[in-house]
């Protein structure tokens, strides 16, 4: 049966790429990208979704292609503040945004605005239907935003503690530094693509964090094993060996995850596409950082500490320096 | 590692069978399922089936303000009865307190004693109670009555609980099926209304406090005066421009109503609300009307006078009628509100999300399409890249999804659009364990081990890594769940369950398949 044997292999056996040689370049490049991303987060800044910004959005489907100009004209006269209109998905669907209406706690302002839009719509585009209405108040959006930042911070802290607990502290620091570099790049990605920063995007970032650490754990696990197995191998060579040994797995897992995220991005509809593209970018970023960043950082932190005397065999492993299990 | 006791094989097959049985209610009609099975199924979230989600906030400041006002009223009465003169009686909502100054500082102790009787007991934990008001006095006769921390907490908690009850009753009256009403956090109430496309009417119903009171009017008051006489307030009427001098004292409260129905007056065909008092209300209303024949009284709803008729004769039957220029819908709504009872505090809608059924159906279609394409991609990749063991992993993947559906059904979980995304992503992460195992087996084979020990070593050595790496996913999802808001929580739950299920199906189940295959074929080499 031809299917019983593997048909292909992404990374050939005995691959020996000297990743460590490019470590300075890799980390510098990554850091540069992250700094640029942070810059992008301030200018032009993130496109905050309604979850975090508050206000009203309405998804409207018109009969036939929507005439944005006419709609804009009709909404402009309503005195509802800054009205945003954009095509959403196909050309008969329009997304309308309004700022928060009225003072906080003032009842009925939102409903009045929705009704006003409904009336204007009836005039400008007869037969149009409102598919979705979302209204989030200022206080709730501020809370959601704060909670999201807390969840992101909490997850990073939890990962730090977990890896610290399971490995040496150098591993934990390496993983967290990588994680920060990655997350900032995702922020840059959001800023460039103008994907809305919303609760679902945060969900994507958290999923990426989980996946990314998962990836790092596998590489670290192998390094720990090799540290025990090859007591005299220089750390630099040992890290390269570990990365190469786990390379096919790292790429393979990223591949399957990518293969499941890509259909979501392509066919998942407008509601999921932001989430899914963020995932796709995050998967690629975290896979490359597992290879080029996470392990090389260890070399800076652990050259002399992870194992005393890498070149010359140590007389006896000092307590605490031997890998814990 | 590759040996399975008979009972273990049976247990594994049992788990799969259980998964099938628990997933069944989602695809076959309920009547076709034997009654001993829990016929729970996954319910669709509002974003998939259409409906309205409202987050309401209870105005707790109003609760405090109201308690302070009643304290002020009580203080006035008590001090007058005790013949204690006072100045500057003021409620200070910002400080949760009430201040006044006794004219003659010598009477301070007497005033404190009188005020102490106004306190209500509140539970402070451990079955003990404490007065809800803390009193303090100064030598110049200034007295401060502050609501205690425990009192504020108890009052807020009580107000939210009571609001939930009232909200539930009001929504039940509208006939919305399967509405979900739950407390969220300190002062919020979450309302989910499946199938409701326009929540306008429900928001209007929930936006009214509907506190109805029956009070007497002060016929001697001068409506033109800048400040109403003590114990009286000027309230607007339903008709614009009308004002009534209404006594603050509440004779009968709307809480004493036992029923209210909209109806038409037989004489002029106007829409009215007919109400019936309960026994307490009946007695009080009879007393009031007997003592005040010929005087006007007011029916006040949310600080507006609906009607102020003159009492012609004592009303002892406990029945009455409110007429006030209603149309059919208005009379009906008022009847609903009166039946359901008054809210202890005003509610405001702080978040609202409404999705039409059309969009939900689109989302389901898109979700299923991505699931199908994703499954095809992952299964194809695993099969082609890893051969026989890859196909084993694919079989386990199908079982994994089955178990995920079974677990979600058993929990009665709600499937949201992000939840579907979670299922699709589970496809990608679930096979990770198999990739780890396969790579391990391959390395062991290359290291020169014979097939059986390579298999053993592969499964054993990979298991630690699998544990470690999956735990990180679970940690991330726990953080997401805590952040939690509706749909995103659905995602966290789905991915977490999928991860746990995959740890089982990808290791135990695949190991069973490999073991069965090995024992029937006894291969000389492994297809890795």
């Amino acid at each position: 049966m031809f299917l019983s044997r593997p048909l292909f292999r992404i990374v050939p056996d005995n691959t020996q790429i000297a990743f460590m040689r490019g470590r300075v370049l890799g980390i510098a490049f990554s850091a540069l990208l992250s700094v640029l991303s942070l810059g992008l987060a301030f200018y032009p800044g993130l496109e905050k979704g309604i979850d975090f910004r508050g206000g009203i959005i309405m998804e409207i489907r018109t009969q036939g292609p929507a005439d944005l100009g006419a709609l804009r004209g009709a909404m402009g006269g309503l005195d509802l503040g800054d009205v945003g209109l954009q095509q959403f998905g196909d050309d008969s669907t329009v997304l309308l945004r309004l700022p928060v209406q009225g003072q906080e706690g003032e009842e009925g302002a939102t409903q009045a605005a929705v009704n006003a839009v409904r009336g204007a719509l009836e005039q400008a585009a007869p037969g149009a239907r409102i598919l979705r209405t979302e209204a989030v108040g200022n206080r709730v959006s501020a809370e959601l935003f704060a909670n999201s930042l807390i969840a992101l911070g909490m997850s990073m802290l939890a990962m730090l503690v977990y890896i610290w607990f399971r490995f040496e502290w150098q591993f934990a620091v390496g993983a967290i530094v990588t994680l920060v570099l990655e997350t900032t790049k995702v922020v840059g990605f959001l800023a460039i693509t103008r994907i809305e920063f919303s609760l679902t995007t945060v969900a994507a970032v958290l999923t990426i964090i989980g996946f990314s650490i998962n990836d790092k754990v596998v590489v670290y696990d192998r390094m720990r094993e090799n540290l025990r197995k090859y007591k005299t191998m220089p750390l630099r060579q040992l890290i390269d060996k570990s990365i190469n040994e786990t390379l096919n797995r790292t790429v393979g897992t990223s591949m399957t995850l990518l293969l499941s995220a890509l259909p979501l991005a392509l066919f998942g509809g407008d509601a999921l596409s932001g989430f899914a593209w963020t995932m796709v970018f995050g998967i690629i970023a975290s896979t490359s950082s597992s290879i080029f960043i996470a392990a090389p950082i260890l070399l800076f932190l652990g050259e002399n500490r992870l194992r005393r005397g890498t070149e010359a065999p140590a007389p006896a492993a000092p307590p605490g320096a031997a890998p814990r299990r | 590692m590759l040996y399975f006791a008979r009972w273990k094989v049976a247990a594994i097959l049992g788990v799969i069978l259980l998964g099938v049985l628990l997933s069944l209610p989602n695809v076959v009609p309920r009547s076709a399922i034997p009654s001993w099975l829990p016929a729970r199924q996954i319910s669709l979230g509002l974003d998939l089936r259409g409906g309205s989600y409202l987050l309401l906030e209870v105005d707790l400041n109003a609760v405090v303000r109201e308690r302070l006002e009643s304290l002020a009223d009580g203080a006035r009465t008590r001090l007058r009865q005790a013949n204690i003169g006072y100045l500057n009686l003021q409620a200070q909502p910002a400080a949760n307190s009430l201040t006044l100054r006794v004219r003659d500082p010598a009477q301070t102790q007497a005033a404190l004693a009188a005020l102490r009787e106004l306190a209500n007991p509140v539970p402070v934990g451990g079955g003990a109670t404490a007065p809800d008001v803390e009193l303090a006095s100064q030598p110049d006769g200034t007295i401060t009555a502050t609501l205690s921390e425990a009192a504020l907490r108890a009052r807020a908690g009580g107000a939210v609980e009571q609001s939930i009850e009232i909200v539930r009753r009001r929504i039940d009256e509208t006939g919305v099926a399967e509405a979900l009403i739950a407390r969220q956090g300190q002062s919020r109430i979450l309302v989910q209304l499946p199938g409701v496309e326009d929540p306008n009417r429900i928001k209007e119903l929930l936006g009214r406090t509907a506190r109805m009171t029956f009070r007497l009017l002060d016929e001697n008051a001068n409506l033109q005066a800048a400040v109403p006489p003590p114990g009286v307030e000027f309230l607007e009427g339903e008709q614009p421009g009308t004002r009534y001098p209404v006594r603050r004292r509440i004779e009968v409260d709307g809480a004493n109503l036992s029923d209210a129905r909209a109806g038409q007056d037989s004489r002029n065909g106007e829409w009215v609300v007919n109400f019936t008092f309960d026994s307490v209300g009946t007695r009080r209303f009879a007393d009031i009307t007997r003592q005040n024949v010929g005087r006007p009284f007011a029916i006040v709803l949310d600080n507006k006078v609906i009607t102020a008729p003159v009492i012609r004769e004592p009303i002892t039957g406990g029945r009455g009628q409110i007429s006030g220029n209603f149309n059919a819908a208005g009379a009906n709504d008022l009847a609903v509100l009166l039946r359901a009872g008054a809210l202890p505090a005003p509610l405001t809608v702080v978040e609202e999300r409404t999705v039409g059924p059309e969009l939900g159906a689109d989302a389901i279609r898109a979700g299923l399409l991505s699931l199908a394409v994703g499954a095809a991609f992952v299964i194809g990749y695993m099969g082609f890249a890893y051969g026989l063991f890859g196909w084993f992993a694919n079989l386990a993947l199908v079982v994994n999804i089955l178990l995920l559906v079974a677990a979600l059904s058993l929990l009665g979980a709600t499937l949201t659009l992000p939840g579907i995304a979670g299922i699709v992503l589970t496809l990608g992460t679930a096979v990770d364990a198999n990739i780890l195992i396969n790579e391990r087996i391959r390395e062991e084979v290359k290291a020169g081990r014979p097939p059986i020990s390579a298999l053993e070593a592969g499964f054993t050595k990979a298991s630690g890594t699998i544990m470690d790496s999956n735990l990180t996913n679970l940690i991330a999802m726990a953080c997401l769940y805590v952040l939690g808001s509706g749909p995103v929580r659905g995602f966290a739950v789905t991915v977490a369950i999928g991860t746990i299920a995959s740890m089982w199906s990808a290791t135990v189940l695949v190991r069973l398949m490999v073991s069965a295959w090995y024992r029937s074929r006894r291969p000389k080499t492994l297809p890795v």
Side-chain angles (χ1 to χ4, degrees), chain B residues 162-183:
Chain B
Q162 200 185 339
S163 299
I164 290 176
E165 188 48 43
I166 304 292
V167 165
R168 177 168 298 129
R169 279 195 230 152
R170 287 187 186 177
I171 289 174
D172 281 350
E173 292 275 0
T174 64
V176 173
E178 292 176 74
L180 181 131
I181 298 145
R183 182 174 185 163

Side-chain angles (χ1 to χ4, degrees), chain B residues 125-431:
Chain B
T129 58
D132 66 342
V133 181
E134 286 159 4
L135 292 167
S137 63
Q138 281 165 20
D140 70 340
T142 304
I143 294 179
T144 316
T146 314
L147 292 174
S148 70
E149 205 53 44
L152 290 173
R153 221 176 307 121
R155 209 153 262 282
V160 175
E161 289 303 322
Q162 200 185 339
S163 299
I164 290 176
E165 188 48 43
I166 304 292
V167 165
R168 177 168 298 129
R169 279 195 230 152
R170 287 187 186 177
I171 289 174
D172 281 350
E173 292 275 0
T174 64
V176 173
E178 292 176 74
L180 181 131
I181 298 145
R183 182 174 185 163
Q184 193 171 62
Q186 273 277 298
S187 60
R188 295 200 179 138
I189 303 172
L190 177 150
V191 177
Q192 291 193 2
L193 306 162
V196 172
E197 257 190 273
D198 184 5
N200 219 341
R201 170 151 190 264
I202 288 176
K203 274 165 64 185
E204 268 170 21
L205 277 183
L206 296 182
R208 288 167 72 175
T209 317
R211 174 114 200 263
M212 188 162 82
T213 51
F214 297 85
R215 307 193 224 166
L216 290 170
L217 294 186
D218 183 358
E219 292 155 285
N220 303 324
N222 174 14
L223 270 176
Q224 309 310 321
V227 189
V232 175
E233 57 186 337
F234 292 153
L235 294 180
E236 279 176 31
E238 277 291 284
Q239 266 81 38
T242 52
R243 285 219 301 178
Y244 297 88
V246 184
R247 291 192 187 276
R248 282 179 186 271
R249 188 184 150 80
I250 292 163
E251 306 295 346
V252 189
D253 194 83
N256 293 114
L257 290 177
S258 66
D259 196 14
R261 300 278 159 192
Q264 271 173 305
D265 190 316
S266 52
R267 284 163 298 179
N268 53 18
E270 255 186 53
W271 280 96
V272 294
V273 177
N274 297 304
F275 61 84
T276 317
F277 282 116
D278 60 10
S279 57
V280 177
T282 303
R283 191 154 18 87
R284 273 201 221 150
F285 201 58
D287 289 348
I288 300 299
T289 49
R290 195 176 303 121
Q291 289 157 13
N292 293 287
V293 173
R295 296 206 190 123
F297 80 105
I299 299 177
V300 181
L301 182 74
D302 292 343
N303 285 330
K304 244 183 181 176
V305 177
I306 304 185
T307 171
V310 172
I311 303 169
R312 292 209 189 85
E313 53 190 354
I315 301 168
T316 52
R319 289 169 180 281
Q321 192 180 69
I322 309 171
S323 52
N325 280 350
F326 295 123
N327 55 17
N332 219 350
D333 279 358
L334 182 57
V336 165
L337 292 172
L338 292 181
R339 274 203 300 276
L343 288 169
L347 291 176
T348 36
V349 180
V350 289
E351 189 182 347
E352 173 193 343
R353 295 173 198 259
T354 304
V355 178
E358 202 176 340
L359 210 56
D362 283 356
I364 294 181
R365 215 171 306 121
L368 288 181
L369 179 63
S370 340
L371 186 64
V373 176
F377 278 2
V378 172
I379 287 178
Y381 177 84
M382 283 304 284
F384 295 137
Y386 293 97
L388 183 68
F389 290 173
W391 293 106
F392 284 164
N394 287 336
L395 219 58
L397 186 62
V398 174
V399 173
N400 179 16
I401 299 295
L402 184 80
L403 291 179
L404 174 57
V405 171
L408 290 175
S409 314
L410 194 63
L411 292 172
T414 305
L415 188 66
T416 58
L417 186 57
I420 295 183
I423 297 181
V424 179
L425 289 179
T426 301
L427 291 172
T429 49
V431 290

Side-chain angles (χ1 to χ4, degrees), chain A residues 59-138:
Chain A
E59 197 175 326
I60 297 161
R61 190 164 288 167
T62 53
Q63 290 185 329
D67 183 354
L68 280 183
L71 283 176
R72 201 163 278 138
M75 301 301 161
L78 294 179
D79 191 26
L80 295 172
D82 200 3
V83 180
L85 271 171
Q86 73 182 79
Q87 214 95 47
F88 194 66
D90 54 30
D91 45 304
S92 63
T93 311
V94 176
L95 197 69
L96 180 137
R97 295 159 196 274
L98 296 174
V100 174
Q101 300 292 312
Q103 296 297 310
E104 186 67 32
E106 186 184 316
E107 197 40 48
T110 300
Q111 195 61 47
V114 170
N115 289 342
V117 168
R118 202 170 291 208
L121 204 60
E122 210 54 54
Q123 297 287 314
R129 283 154 303 150
I130 297 175
L131 302 178
R132 171 168 67 111
T133 310
E134 298 189 28
V136 180
N138 275 332

